Amino acid sequence: WSSDVCSSDLMDLRDLKTIRKAQKLKITDVSKKTGIHRDRISQIERALVNPHFETVISIAEAINAKITITPC
């Protein structure tokens, strides 16, 4: 068991940016709510990194997004 998100699921993380923008939130807003650096959030939204599951949950909670978990 790993706490990392499967690399095949990274494309789905781009939805976080769409949801964030729909709520008129800036990356800095999400950064303040989560304590995650804005550069890291940007990397996650662009699927450039493989974030820990807990990081994805924190961002999703900050933007009121629903997370669906599917096995790898």
Side-chain angles (χ1 to χ4, degrees), residues 4-19:
D4 288 340
V5 175
C6 299
S7 60
S8 62
D9 295 334
L10 284 177
M11 293 298 290
D12 297 336
L13 295 179
R14 292 183 184 181
D15 292 337
L16 294 174
K17 182 176 183 177
T18 303
I19 296 166

Side-chain angles (χ1 to χ4, degrees), residues 11-55:
M11 293 298 290
D12 297 336
L13 295 179
R14 292 183 184 181
D15 292 337
L16 294 174
K17 182 176 183 177
T18 303
I19 296 166
R20 175 181 59 77
K21 286 188 165 197
Q23 294 184 24
K24 298 183 172 134
L25 293 171
K26 297 179 183 179
I27 287 180
T28 53
D29 298 326
V30 178
S31 178
K32 288 176 185 174
K33 288 182 176 184
T34 62
I36 301 166
H37 195 277
R38 65 183 181 276
D39 292 343
R40 185 71 171 169
I41 294 170
S42 176
Q43 292 170 342
I44 292 167
E45 289 182 345
R46 293 180 289 143
L48 297 178
V49 295
N50 190 10
H52 287 277
F53 182 70
E54 293 84 4
T55 302

Side-chain angles (χ1 to χ4, degrees), residues 53-64:
F53 182 70
E54 293 84 4
T55 302
V56 175
I57 294 296
S58 293
I59 294 170
E61 288 175 347
I63 63 172
N64 296 315

